[in-house]
Amino acid sequence: MNWLHDFILPKQASTLSGNIDNLFWFITAINVVFFALIAILVIHFMRKYRRKSENEVTPHITHNQTLEIVWSVIPLFLVIIIFFWGFHGYVNAQVAPANSIEIQATGKKWVWQFEYPDGMRTLNAFHVPVNRPVRLVLSSEDVIHSFFVPSFRIKKDAVPGRYTEEWFTATEPGVYQVFCTEYCGKGHSDMLAKIYVDDEAAYQKWLLEGDEEIKTMPLPELGKLVYENKGCATCHSLDGTRGQGPTWKGTWGAMHTMTDGKQIKVDENYIRESILEPQNHIVQGYEPIMPTFKGLIRDREVLGVIEYIKGLK
């Protein structure tokens, strides 16, 4: 049965997964049994009551009260079981344990931003400890998004102007994929994030130091990683194509004309300011839609972006 489960459903990686999957297989088994029963009875009755000659008259068949009671009571009993099983799982999935780690998750075109209780913020990735409950408080800055983690069996909409929540307890260390499952515009399919589930020691080290690759990766490679993982690709092209923001190709050293007519050279200071204070200068012909990355990106990552842009001739 394990091979069938692994073939049909994603890996189980949270305390909620088991109950949800068991209910899924229970409903599936009921459907298979009743499908087989109905198919067998249809074939049996076709053979038994088929017309055998021209003079044959189909006998008058009256109702069978016992049979009618049986086929009414059994489905009712099964539906009641499914209701209470599902309702118990629903209530359990809605109420986070009191000792949960609370993380704010904000959806915006087209990235996920995560904020920890101590004010630390990350984009499109966050770390949690294994075997400890995590409560996600979801919101949106623009349109409806939806936070879905298949391996955890959790899914909840992030709605503008209100807060929703969901929780999970990861049971296995690893990296798990997050999808946005509410169509939110052009970059919807790129609105991905990752959850890193660490053991306690690795989680505490990450809280203090951040990811090891950020500290050791060559700056141009780090800049490319930032481009791919922090939503830059949704607005800025690398091939000269016009997007919602200026292309990065050949922009180093160029003069950009702002909406106020001022010309600014693309250098280290300009790129840094564009990342941290993007509304200070808006390039002519573009909308002021660039979000600030202040508090979301480390200084070394900014340096990485600068070096990466330098190499895009």
Side-chain angles (χ1 to χ4, degrees), residues 58-292:
T58 302
H60 178 65
I61 302 174
T62 61
H63 73 280
N64 185 315
Q65 187 172 2
T66 301
L67 183 60
E68 291 174 357
I69 292 174
V70 169
W71 75 38
S72 298
V73 171
I74 291 179
L76 176 63
F77 180 69
L78 292 174
V79 169
I80 290 174
I81 291 176
I82 292 171
F83 171 78
F84 282 102
W85 191 343
F87 184 71
H88 177 269
Y90 172 79
V91 171
N92 184 48
Q94 298 306 303
V95 182
N99 62 335
S100 299
I101 300 170
E102 185 173 298
I103 298 175
Q104 303 284 331
T106 304
K108 49 188 174 181
K109 296 180 180 180
W110 285 275
V111 295
W112 290 104
Q113 173 185 304
F114 304 99
E115 183 170 352
Y116 288 76
D118 62 359
M120 179 178 64
R121 292 186 289 175
T122 61
L123 276 183
N124 288 338
F126 67 105
H127 289 244
V128 298
V130 69
N131 294 324
R132 287 179 61 186
V134 176
R135 176 173 175 258
L136 296 175
V137 180
L138 302 167
S139 62
S140 171
E141 291 189 358
D142 36 51
V143 298
I144 297 177
H145 302 283
S146 188
F147 191 90
F148 175 46
V149 188
S151 295
F152 294 168
R153 309 296 192 270
I154 61 171
K155 180 179 179 291
K156 183 75 73 170
D157 283 354
V159 183
R162 61 177 297 183
Y163 296 102
T164 56
E165 65 176 82
E166 60 183 351
W167 75 276
F168 63 89
T169 299
T171 55
E172 293 187 31
V175 183
Y176 299 95
Q177 186 66 58
V178 179
F179 298 93
C180 176
T181 49
E182 188 72 45
Y183 183 70
C184 54
K186 178 181 177 182
H188 166 67
S189 58
D190 294 319
M191 192 170 173
L192 305 172
K194 293 186 183 297
I195 301 177
Y196 293 85
V197 178
D198 305 324
D199 59 47
E200 188 64 30
Y203 176 68
Q204 293 300 327
K205 182 179 180 181
W206 176 81
L207 288 177
L208 293 173
E209 302 177 4
D211 293 314
E212 186 65 27
E213 65 177 353
I214 291 178
K215 297 182 291 184
T216 60
M217 184 180 294
L219 287 176
E221 293 182 21
L222 179 58
K224 182 179 180 181
L225 184 66
V226 170
Y227 175 83
E228 294 171 348
N229 292 346
K230 295 194 181 295
C232 308
T234 61
C235 295
H236 303 282
S237 74
L238 301 180
D239 59 3
T241 304
R242 179 184 172 89
Q244 297 193 66
T247 182
W248 284 9
K249 181 178 181 180
T251 193
W252 179 258
M255 299 298 294
H256 280 182
T257 303
M258 304 298 127
T259 53
D260 60 3
K262 182 179 180 180
Q263 286 197 326
I264 299 179
K265 183 179 180 180
V266 179
D267 58 12
E268 290 89 346
N269 292 320
Y270 172 75
I271 294 175
R272 181 179 181 83
E273 185 177 26
S274 297
I275 294 172
L276 303 181
E277 302 289 347
Q279 302 305 314
N280 285 356
H281 301 290
I282 308 299
V283 177
Q284 197 172 79
Y286 294 92
E287 297 295 324
I289 61 173
M290 171 82 171
T292 177

